[in-house]
Coordinates of all heavy atoms in Angstrom, one line a residue:
H1 N -20.5 2.2 -11.2 CA -20.3 1.5 -12.4 C -19.8 0.1 -12.3 O -19.7 -0.6 -13.2 CB -19.3 2.3 -13.3 CG -19.7 3.7 -13.5 ND1 -20.6 4.1 -14.4 CD2 -19.3 4.9 -12.9 CE1 -20.8 5.4 -14.4 NE2 -20.0 5.9 -13.5
D2 N -19.3 -0.3 -11.1 CA -18.8 -1.6 -10.9 C -19.1 -2.0 -9.4 O -19.3 -1.2 -8.5 CB -17.3 -1.6 -11.1 CG -16.7 -2.9 -11.4 OD1 -17.4 -3.9 -11.3 OD2 -15.5 -3.0 -11.8
N3 N -19.0 -3.3 -9.2 CA -19.3 -3.9 -7.9 C -17.9 -3.9 -7.2 O -17.1 -4.9 -7.4 CB -19.9 -5.3 -8.0 CG -20.4 -5.8 -6.7 OD1 -20.3 -5.1 -5.7 ND2 -21.0 -6.9 -6.7
I4 N -17.6 -2.9 -6.3 CA -16.3 -2.8 -5.7 C -16.5 -3.3 -4.2 O -17.4 -2.9 -3.5 CB -15.8 -1.3 -5.7 CG1 -15.8 -0.8 -7.1 CG2 -14.5 -1.2 -5.0 CD1 -14.8 -1.4 -8.0
E5 N -15.5 -4.1 -3.8 CA -15.5 -4.7 -2.5 C -14.8 -3.8 -1.5 O -15.1 -3.9 -0.3 CB -14.8 -6.1 -2.6 CG -14.7 -6.9 -1.4 CD -14.0 -8.2 -1.7 OE1 -14.7 -9.1 -2.2 OE2 -12.8 -8.4 -1.3
T6 N -13.9 -3.0 -1.9 CA -13.2 -2.1 -1.0 C -14.2 -1.3 -0.2 O -15.1 -0.6 -0.8 CB -12.2 -1.2 -1.8 OG1 -11.4 -2.1 -2.6 CG2 -11.4 -0.4 -0.8
L7 N -14.1 -1.2 1.1 CA -15.1 -0.6 2.0 C -15.0 0.9 2.0 O -16.0 1.6 2.1 CB -15.0 -1.2 3.4 CG -15.3 -2.7 3.5 CD1 -15.2 -3.1 4.9 CD2 -16.7 -2.9 3.0
S8 N -13.8 1.4 2.0 CA -13.6 2.9 2.2 C -12.4 3.4 1.4 O -11.5 2.6 1.1 CB -13.5 3.3 3.7 OG -12.3 2.8 4.2
G9 N -12.3 4.7 1.3 CA -11.1 5.3 0.7 C -9.9 5.1 1.5 O -8.8 4.9 1.0
K10 N -10.1 5.1 2.8 CA -9.0 4.9 3.8 C -8.5 3.5 3.6 O -7.2 3.2 3.6 CB -9.4 5.1 5.2 CG -8.3 5.1 6.2 CD -8.9 5.4 7.6 CE -7.7 5.5 8.6 NZ -8.2 5.8 9.9
D11 N -9.4 2.5 3.4 CA -8.9 1.1 3.2 C -8.2 0.9 1.9 O -7.4 0.0 1.8 CB -10.1 0.1 3.2 CG -10.7 0.0 4.6 OD1 -10.0 0.3 5.6 OD2 -11.9 -0.4 4.7
A12 N -8.6 1.7 0.9 CA -8.0 1.6 -0.4 C -6.6 2.2 -0.5 O -5.7 1.7 -1.3 CB -8.8 2.3 -1.5
L13 N -6.3 3.1 0.3 CA -5.0 3.8 0.3 C -3.9 3.0 0.9 O -4.0 2.4 1.9 CB -5.1 5.2 1.0 CG -4.1 6.3 0.7 CD1 -4.2 6.6 -0.8 CD2 -4.4 7.5 1.5
F14 N -2.7 2.9 0.1 CA -1.6 2.2 0.6 C -0.7 3.0 1.6 O -0.8 4.2 1.5 CB -0.7 1.7 -0.6 CG -1.4 0.8 -1.5 CD1 -0.8 0.6 -2.8 CD2 -2.5 0.1 -1.2 CE1 -1.4 -0.2 -3.7 CE2 -3.1 -0.7 -2.1 CZ -2.6 -0.9 -3.4
R15 N 0.1 2.3 2.4 CA 0.9 3.0 3.3 C 2.0 3.8 2.5 O 2.4 3.4 1.4 CB 1.6 2.0 4.2 CG 0.7 1.2 5.1 CD 1.4 0.0 5.7 NE 2.7 0.3 6.1 CZ 3.2 0.4 7.3 NH1 2.4 0.3 8.3 NH2 4.5 0.6 7.6
I16 N 2.5 4.9 3.1 CA 3.6 5.7 2.5 C 4.9 5.1 2.9 O 5.9 5.5 2.2 CB 3.4 7.2 2.9 CG1 4.2 8.0 1.9 CG2 3.9 7.4 4.4 CD1 3.9 9.5 1.9
Y17 N 5.0 4.2 3.8 CA 6.3 3.7 4.3 C 6.8 2.6 3.3 O 6.0 1.7 3.0 CB 6.1 3.1 5.7 CG 5.6 4.1 6.6 CD1 4.2 4.1 7.0 CD2 6.4 5.1 7.2 CE1 3.7 5.0 7.9 CE2 5.9 6.0 8.1 CZ 4.5 6.0 8.4 OH 4.0 6.9 9.2
N18 N 8.0 2.7 2.9 CA 8.6 1.7 2.0 C 9.1 0.5 2.8 O 9.6 0.7 4.0 CB 9.9 2.3 1.3 CG 9.6 2.8 -0.1 OD1 8.6 2.4 -0.7 ND2 10.4 3.8 -0.5
D19 N 8.9 -0.7 2.3 CA 9.5 -1.9 2.9 C 10.9 -2.0 2.3 O 11.1 -2.4 1.1 CB 8.7 -3.1 2.5 CG 9.2 -4.4 3.2 OD1 10.3 -4.3 3.8 OD2 8.5 -5.4 3.0
I20 N 11.9 -1.7 3.1 CA 13.3 -1.6 2.6 C 14.1 -2.9 2.9 O 15.3 -2.9 2.6 CB 14.0 -0.4 3.1 CG1 14.1 -0.4 4.6 CG2 13.4 0.9 2.6 CD1 15.0 0.7 5.2
R21 N 13.4 -3.9 3.5 CA 14.2 -5.1 3.9 C 14.9 -5.7 2.8 O 16.0 -6.2 2.9 CB 13.2 -6.1 4.6 CG 12.7 -5.6 5.9 CD 11.7 -6.6 6.4 NE 10.6 -6.7 5.4 CZ 9.6 -7.6 5.5 NH1 9.6 -8.4 6.5 NH2 8.6 -7.6 4.6
F22 N 14.3 -5.8 1.6 CA 14.9 -6.5 0.5 C 15.2 -5.6 -0.7 O 15.3 -6.1 -1.8 CB 14.0 -7.7 0.1 CG 13.6 -8.6 1.2 CD1 12.3 -8.5 1.7 CD2 14.6 -9.4 1.8 CE1 12.0 -9.3 2.8 CE2 14.2 -10.2 2.9 CZ 12.9 -10.2 3.4
S23 N 15.2 -4.3 -0.5 CA 15.3 -3.4 -1.6 C 16.7 -2.7 -1.6 O 17.3 -2.4 -0.6 CB 14.3 -2.3 -1.4 OG 14.4 -1.3 -2.4
K24 N 17.2 -2.4 -2.8 CA 18.4 -1.7 -2.9 C 18.2 -0.2 -2.6 O 19.1 0.5 -2.2 CB 19.0 -1.8 -4.3 CG 19.6 -3.2 -4.6 CD 20.1 -3.3 -6.0 CE 20.6 -4.7 -6.2 NZ 21.2 -4.9 -7.6
D25 N 17.0 0.3 -2.9 CA 16.6 1.6 -2.6 C 16.2 1.7 -1.1 O 15.3 1.1 -0.6 CB 15.4 2.1 -3.4 CG 14.9 3.5 -3.1 OD1 15.5 4.2 -2.3 OD2 13.8 3.9 -3.7
R26 N 17.0 2.4 -0.3 CA 16.8 2.5 1.1 C 16.0 3.7 1.5 O 16.0 4.0 2.7 CB 18.2 2.5 1.8 CG 19.2 1.4 1.4 CD 18.6 0.0 1.6 NE 18.7 -0.4 2.9 CZ 18.2 -1.6 3.4 NH1 17.7 -2.4 2.5 NH2 18.4 -1.9 4.6
S27 N 15.3 4.3 0.6 CA 14.5 5.5 0.9 C 13.3 5.0 1.8 O 12.6 4.0 1.5 CB 13.9 6.1 -0.3 OG 14.9 6.5 -1.2

């Protein structure tokens, strides 16, 4: 239905690791 540039589902998925360097939430 649309012209999507993302190559794969793996490329689309974000990391599960939080960037806690500047966050109050240290999870």
Side-chain angles (χ1 to χ4, degrees):
H1 306 283
D2 201 351
N3 191 359
I4 305 293
E5 182 175 283
T6 307
L7 297 176
S8 69
K10 188 175 182 179
D11 289 340
L13 202 58
F14 298 163
R15 296 167 37 108
I16 198 162
Y17 306 99
N18 266 333
D19 182 355
I20 59 171
R21 293 175 298 171
F22 309 107
S23 176
K24 289 181 183 179
D25 179 5
R26 306 307 278 180
S27 304

